[in-house]
Amino acid sequence: MRWSQTLIPTMKENPSDAEIPSHRLMIRAGLIRQLMAGAYTYLPLGWKSIRKAEAIIREEMDRAGAVELHMPALQPIELFERTGRREAFGNVLINFPIRRGNQEGQYALGPTHEEVITDLVSKLVSSYRQLPFTMYQIQTKFRNEERPRFGVLRTSEFQMKDAYSFSATVEQLDTAYDAMYDAYCRIFARCGLEYLPVEAESGPIGGDASHEFMIPSGNGEDSIFRCPSCQYAANMERADTGRAANITEVADADMQALEEVATPKAGTIDQVTKSMGCDATDLIKTLIYDVDGETVAVLLRGDHEANEGKIRRALDANSVELADNATIEEVTGAPVGFAGPKGLSIKMIADHDVPSVNPAVIGANKADAHFKNVYLGRDYELPTDAVGKPVTHDLRNAEPGDGCPKCEGTLERVHGIEVGHVFKLGTKYSESLDANFADEKEQRHPIIMGCYGIGVNRIIAGIAETRHDDNGIDWPLSLAPFEVDIIPLKVDDEEVMQAAESLYDSLKSQGVDVILDDRPARPGVKFKDSELIGFPLRVVIGGRGLAEGNMEVKWRSDEEPTMIPVAEVEVRVLEMLVDKRAEEAGQVP
RNA sequence: CGGGAUGUAGCGCAGCUUGGUAGCGCGCUUCACUGGGGGUGAAGAGGUCGCAGGUUCAAAUCCUGUCAUCCCGACCA
């Protein structure tokens, strides 16, 4: 490509709306432009990189045995009603009526394609002999994000590779899952990303059923907990905090008298600690939940955050949500904010750390009052096991400093950008959409599914976010919009231009992805743009070099260029690219 | 949806407090010089100051409403 024939609107200054590096750099390098909140045009350079990422994804999907298909983005709303996801997605699902003749139907733009593909498979598969298989597609997905942000990291329209596996047995599912997991590792490695597979919410299958692929980055939206001493890494919803009750024993003789303290209008942890001059860690907070219709009190240390997924698992429940105010007032006899375990008659479960708050400050189940010097056993009870120890659960979000569940280490928190997710779905969709198969005994079963997604745009944004310096983006060769940037320093110098054209033609004919900066601009402008966009290999051709019979070749990461005799440049560039590709391939597991 | 901020030329910004001919830098056009790290000089083009209403002789500036974008939070199958 000749620079003069494409559109590369680079910018010297930072756009005022862009804050994080990936957003700033992608705009400044002329990769993207914004249309509106959460919607970006990919300009020629940005789209080239997207296409390169897609090509890598396709190669690895094919290699892992998945087959590509293409489904409509426009989908009948009825499918989402059958799986219950019209309600689950809520406002995120973009849907609208369309009139055709005198018929009006409601349609959705696919936020993902479980419904469509399961419906398809339900019509085409009837026997275990047709299973297993995995299919994938790459297409635009639509989600009405309540708050698009971080430039291209969170948009309402994005390229997604979504794959779905269909199996007759759990073993087949495990095989498909492992194949996708391995493919993802290869994909992200080939894309030059530092990635971290983390355990994620496991859903109905349980166990090791879901992993998110994260790019560790300070600007990532997700919190990841990982252990520096072992391989354990999990997202915040999933990370285990401990396995046993943490009990502070207090002898009866040392217990201080229970005391009721007036705490007017102090209904939050913050207000109570201020009002009573204590720490959040001295409090036990009592959250009233509606769990499958039953009202349950959940006890946590004051500074901890409830994790509804863990509560759901601990109680083996389907739905967990905070009770409404009326229920709370009825159960506790006090307005919201003054609940406490003393004298509470509903079912109670406590986090592992609750018995360590001894004595504790708790709500008095009475407006504007709390108790202090509250002791487990004396003032309130928890369920106990056979030997009388309190039974507690892991009910809260992990925090930095929590013990690693796998070893003796301590968890640390890092932020990450989620670029991929692999998930053992089980039979949720096959059951609701009647995708069944007959086994060898003519027994009908729902097909066991897995789903596997990659956010293609996030791969590109992840590169810009994590691989850049003061001058611009540092692309891996595999994704760079062009591999080689040829810079003739003076385009009206015939000798220079002829040498540049000749090298350009021969590299192009050898399959090198090369751009010729044929703009009549000053050298400084071309150098700056080259580094801002981040072309990996740069060849500079100037009168001075040519007079000595040389061209100058430099990797973006090199400090100094290498002078290479004109006659050898083509061969050397080809060699350098081969070596670099091999080097990058060496990172792939 | 709650909180905060910003809308003036393609981009970055000043002007607004105290109403009175719309400005600066970059970029763009033409010419000359220059020619290895975002050049110099000269001459130009380009803006109904987000939009609507109001106050006023007069509004970028004051008032009301509205829209858009960004940030924090809530939400995120």
Side-chain angles (χ1 to χ4, degrees), chain A residues 156-295:
Chain A
S156 45
E157 185 181 329
F158 53 95
Q159 293 302 110
M160 182 178 186
K161 186 286 299 179
D162 46 325
Y164 306 89
S165 67
F166 296 85
S167 311
T169 65
V170 170
E171 292 69 37
Q172 288 177 355
L173 169 65
D174 291 343
T175 303
Y177 185 90
D178 291 346
M180 286 296 115
Y181 185 104
D182 292 343
Y184 276 34
C185 293
R186 292 180 52 88
I187 288 165
F188 299 127
R190 286 183 63 184
C191 289
L193 289 166
E194 268 193 46
Y195 65 96
L196 187 66
V198 310
E199 292 180 15
E201 193 56 52
S202 56
I205 294 271
D208 204 14
S210 172
H211 288 84
E212 290 171 347
F213 286 78
M214 297 283 192
I215 305 170
S217 162
N219 286 315
E221 279 194 276
D222 298 279
S223 283
I224 308 164
F225 286 86
R226 69 173 170 191
C227 173
S229 341
C230 71
Q231 290 304 304
Y232 184 76
N235 69 13
M236 190 167 76
E237 285 102 48
R238 175 70 191 176
D240 295 326
T241 60
R243 287 147 294 172
N246 176 10
I247 304 172
T248 303
E249 302 274 7
V250 180
D252 289 355
D254 296 333
M255 290 186 183
Q256 296 175 299
L258 180 72
E259 197 180 318
E260 185 180 314
V261 183
T263 51
K265 292 187 182 149
T268 67
I269 297 292
D270 206 32
Q271 290 162 341
V272 173
T273 54
K274 275 193 190 121
S275 160
M276 301 188 57
C278 63
D279 239 0
T281 51
D282 299 328
L283 265 66
I284 294 173
K285 67 175 166 190
T286 306
L287 301 169
I288 311 294
Y289 275 92
D290 180 322
V291 180
D292 290 346
E294 185 186 358
T295 308

